[in-house]
Amino acid sequence: MKKLLLSLLFVTLAMTGQAQPPKYEVRAVWLTTIGGIDWPRTHATSSSSAAQQKRELSRILDQLKKANVNTVLLQTRVRASTIYPSQYEPYDACLTGRQGGNPGYDPLRYAIDECHKRGMELHAWVVTIPVGKWNSQGCKALRNRYPNLIHKIGDEGYMNPEMEETGNYLAKVCQEIVDKYDVDGIHLDYIRYPENWKMKVGKEQGRQYITNIVKKIHRAVKQKKRWVKLSCSPIGKYSDLSRYSSKGWNAYNTVCQDAQKWLRDGLMDELFPMMYFRGDNFYPFAINWKEHTYGRIIAPGLGIWFLSRSEGNWPLIDITRELEFLRSNGMGHTYFRSRFFTDNTKGIYDYACNRLDTYPALIPALTWEHRTAPQPPRHLFIDNSGDNITLYWEGAKDNSDGDYLTYNVYVSNNGTVDIRQSRNLVACRVMGNSISFRGSSAHSNLSFAVTAMDRYGNESTALQSAAEPRSSQQLLKNDGRRLYLPKKDPALDANFVVIESMAGNIVKRAYYNSDVIEIYDLPEGVYSIHSMNRNKKTHRIGYFIVKRGN
């Protein structure tokens, strides 16, 4: 049974009266792999350097977690090359220093596991139309496999958006990722005409070509896993506005991205518009995105690299004002790029941690895909007998086709916990059925609540510690090796006992012919024990906690 250890300093922060951010909000970051400019900084050419590469990623994710980022857009298909073993394209050179080089582990799987351990979503960022240098391994392989599909512009290759095979191929790549990995989203980048493409068709036809590619990818993703979010990063200005010009650079007319229509027609779940602007080039265009969400999610991307003295030397207030504006208008926010954020350029990381995102946030649910919430978890146990306070709960029932639940934990010192308040949310997307806080019986006045959440983001009602009987009154005694049962009722028709984990899995069976059951082989955790008759009908005898001291 997995335990997540949190500091009660964090819990104490949740009790303060400072202004709180919303409970539901996308807080994302683009984590770029091309050239290793965000990650990896070390090439995996041996087992030790591969381990160092993993540590680098884990440190980045720790920083993002501390800043309450909940969505990581990880560049997965780079330029007709990938950071996972693909049947279609070679490994990207960022991993080992040479294209096609095997790093000795699966970086995408590792990144997914590390994000999920921290309660964050991982979306596979797929660069679509550009396929890299003309003579690179990935581009050459595509040219050999699909003659006439790749166009050369300068020394770069691009898939032709007007050919059927482009959408078919990109759909296969995205479906491969969804098939093989537990990703939370597919994030499409550069799903548009290259700006220097010499178009021979009208803009309306061009938009239809790009939309056809999106449709094929949408179908490939959703027919496998409806809960996987499909998103893209359109040009930051959708089109000219009545009072503000896009100055010749917009999604709709310049590069044929009809992204607002994709939201309206249900082809996209989220948009991350690249709004790397200031002043009148930012605010009215951000409102235009907000006015055309169609109930979906918008989390504009901010060009925080312009804070760097070598890139633009913007003052921090230009970005912080944009962040506050997005929040006041019910939108999320996304940082481009990760390294400028975690390097605390001009203090942006400190601002996020200490001012903007002081509490965790849940990601809005995909209610347009599924809206029935899971059942709440049951039987909350609180063990504060040692140096930590540990919560255990019995697993909930999923009401979706996702067949997988995580849990959110809330803390308050006001009796019943109000789960509507973001300040009470202390842990999101907890895997397993337990969590530990650094603390002791001195914090026994705290109240806890646990909710279940399905893959679509639907959250159950809360299991409240204030409504549960005290665990000490209902736990069976044990010494870590033997469990002592109440005296068996002679009228009870039961020949066996079964022991279940809090997730509902049977971990042990034994004959019910004694008041003592051997439990030396059970890991530490909370269990329920049931009697069972010949017809396999069960009756709960009680619960017990296995805890072995030093």
Side-chain angles (χ1 to χ4, degrees):
M1 190 172 299
K2 185 171 181 277
K3 292 184 181 180
L4 177 65
L5 198 60
L6 299 176
S7 172
L8 272 170
L9 290 174
F10 186 28
V11 178
T12 304
L13 175 65
M15 308 304 168
T16 64
Q18 60 182 292
Q20 56 181 310
K23 177 180 170 179
Y24 293 95
E25 185 176 64
V26 169
R27 303 165 184 173
V29 65
W30 279 289
L31 206 166
T32 307
T33 58
I34 189 170
I37 56 176
D38 285 336
W39 175 81
R41 308 297 292 174
T42 298
H43 289 147
T45 56
S46 65
S47 59
S48 60
S49 57
Q52 174 62 20
Q53 191 174 93
K54 292 179 182 180
R55 287 193 294 270
E56 289 173 356
L57 179 59
S58 294
R59 282 196 293 267
I60 292 170
L61 297 180
D62 282 341
Q63 287 183 275
L64 298 179
K65 173 64 175 177
K66 184 179 177 182
N68 286 318
V69 167
N70 56 26
T71 303
V72 176
L73 308 173
L74 176 65
Q75 193 170 30
T76 299
R77 185 196 192 226
V78 186
R79 293 291 189 275
S81 54
T82 65
I83 64 164
Y84 68 94
S86 170
Q87 65 174 310
Y88 301 112
E89 296 179 339
Y91 275 117
D92 189 74
C94 70
L95 298 171
T96 63
R98 62 182 181 86
Q99 199 163 56
N102 189 330
Y105 75 106
D106 188 332
L108 179 56
R109 192 173 304 281
Y110 180 79
I112 292 168
D113 290 343
E114 291 294 293
C115 281
H116 287 177
K117 279 193 278 188
R118 292 163 176 78
M120 298 187 289
E121 289 195 353
L122 185 137
H123 296 212
W125 165 8
V126 175
V127 179
T128 55
I129 300 299
V131 292
K133 298 297 183 182
W134 188 251
N135 287 317
S136 65
Q137 184 179 346
C139 182
K140 286 173 65 176
L142 280 177
R143 289 193 284 119
N144 291 336
R145 198 180 317 163
Y146 304 106
N148 305 316
L149 179 63
I150 310 301
H151 279 213
K152 186 177 183 182
I153 303 177
D155 62 349
E156 300 279 339
Y158 296 86
M159 302 188 81
N160 186 346
E162 298 170 6
M163 293 184 67
E164 283 286 321
E165 191 53 53
T166 293
N168 297 339
Y169 180 79
L170 291 172
K172 287 192 294 186
V173 170
C174 292
Q175 191 172 69
E176 176 185 53
I177 296 171
V178 173
D179 272 341
K180 292 176 62 174
Y181 298 98
D182 189 18
V183 293
D184 302 286
I186 294 291
H187 176 64
L188 305 179
D189 185 21
Y190 221 110
I191 187 73
R192 58 183 175 88
Y193 275 86
E195 53 269 32
N196 46 5
W197 186 279
K198 295 180 180 179
M199 291 186 65
K200 298 179 181 178
V201 299
K203 295 292 185 179
E204 184 175 351
Q205 181 62 57
R207 285 189 288 272
Q208 189 58 55
Y209 281 131
I210 301 297
T211 296
N212 287 342
I213 298 172
V214 173
K215 285 181 178 179
K216 290 179 179 180
I217 296 173
H218 178 272
R219 188 180 308 115
V221 169
K222 294 293 185 175
Q223 72 181 8
K224 290 291 182 180
K225 299 174 182 175
R226 288 194 302 138
W227 60 84
V228 172
K229 300 176 178 72
L230 188 62
S231 68
C232 71
S233 51
I235 300 300
K237 300 174 183 178
Y238 175 68
S239 186
D240 289 329
L241 305 179
S242 58
R243 294 178 55 196
Y244 298 94
S245 170
S246 65
K247 300 177 182 177
W249 181 239
N250 65 63
Y252 185 74
N253 286 307
T254 310
V255 295
C256 297
Q257 286 179 310
D258 201 352
Q260 291 181 358
K261 183 176 184 293
W262 300 341
L263 285 183
R264 186 194 70 196
D265 293 350
L267 295 176
M268 289 282 169
D269 301 299
E270 293 181 278
L271 292 183
F272 298 85
M274 300 182 293
M275 301 200 68
Y276 310 147
F277 317 112
R278 296 185 288 182
D280 287 346
N281 287 310
F282 178 87
Y283 296 102
F285 293 95
I287 287 296
N288 177 252
W289 288 112
K290 173 62 179 178
E291 290 174 341
H292 296 86
T293 61
Y294 302 99
R296 271 44 172 183
I297 302 167
I298 300 284
L302 305 181
I304 63 170
W305 87 87
F306 284 124
L307 296 171
S308 171
R309 287 177 173 81
S310 62
E311 298 290 343
N313 202 25
W314 286 9
L316 179 62
I317 196 171
D318 285 354
I319 296 293
T320 59
R321 282 175 174 168
E322 292 178 352
L323 286 165
E324 290 162 3
F325 179 83
L326 294 176
R327 172 161 293 165
S328 67
N329 284 280
M331 290 180 275
H333 50 270
T334 311
Y335 301 106
F336 187 82
R337 311 179 331 258
S338 171
R339 193 174 183 201
F340 291 96
F341 184 61
T342 55
D343 281 356
N344 198 26
T345 309
K346 289 271 181 75
I348 182 61
Y349 182 80
D350 287 343
Y351 174 81
C353 290
N354 302 324
R355 295 282 301 277
L356 184 72
D357 296 330
T358 50
Y359 306 115
L362 302 181
I363 295 165
L366 297 182
T367 53
W368 48 92
E369 293 282 3
H370 177 79
R371 62 172 60 245
T372 303
Q375 297 296 312
R378 299 178 295 167
H379 302 300
L380 180 62
F381 297 92
I382 302 173
D383 179 11
N384 56 8
S385 60
D387 295 334
N388 300 319
I389 294 177
T390 302
L391 275 60
Y392 303 91
W393 56 88
E394 192 169 332
K397 178 185 177 183
D398 195 353
N399 288 321
S400 77
D401 57 345
D403 195 29
Y404 179 77
L405 296 176
T406 54
Y407 297 90
N408 304 316
V409 180
Y410 302 79
V411 181
S412 174
N413 57 5
N414 296 319
T416 301
V417 184
D418 186 352
I419 68 169
R420 298 170 299 177
Q421 301 298 320
S422 65
R423 65 172 177 264
N424 294 332
L425 178 62
V426 294
C428 306
R429 293 168 58 97
V430 176
M431 299 184 294
N433 299 81
S434 67
I435 187 170
S436 289
F437 300 90
R438 293 189 182 96
S440 65
S441 58
H443 298 92
S444 60
N445 63 320
L446 294 174
S447 296
F448 299 89
V450 182
T451 62
M453 192 166 67
D454 66 21
R455 288 187 181 272
Y456 296 91
N458 297 295
E459 188 180 25
S460 75
T461 56
L463 169 63
Q464 297 274 354
S465 63
E468 285 283 298
R470 299 303 299 172
S471 61
S472 61
Q473 298 174 353
Q474 57 182 347
L475 291 177
L476 302 175
K477 292 182 179 181
N478 74 90
D479 60 8
R481 296 185 61 82
R482 296 177 182 85
L483 173 68
Y484 302 97
L485 301 181
K487 189 171 182 61
K488 181 180 178 182
D489 185 340
L492 183 62
D493 176 25
N495 299 314
F496 305 94
V497 292
V498 292
I499 297 175
E500 294 183 358
S501 70
M502 295 298 275
N505 300 317
I506 295 176
V507 296
K508 189 179 182 70
R509 292 180 174 87
Y511 285 107
Y512 195 2
N513 54 11
S514 171
D515 295 341
V516 178
I517 301 293
E518 298 288 339
I519 58 169
Y520 63 87
D521 52 345
L522 295 182
E524 291 189 352
V526 173
Y527 300 89
S528 62
I529 184 166
H530 310 253
S531 64
M532 177 184 289
N533 65 16
R534 289 186 177 87
N535 297 321
K536 296 187 177 180
K537 290 185 178 180
T538 61
H539 173 76
R540 183 184 293 120
I541 299 172
Y543 293 87
F544 63 97
I545 297 178
V546 177
K547 187 175 182 181
R548 302 180 180 93
N550 294 328

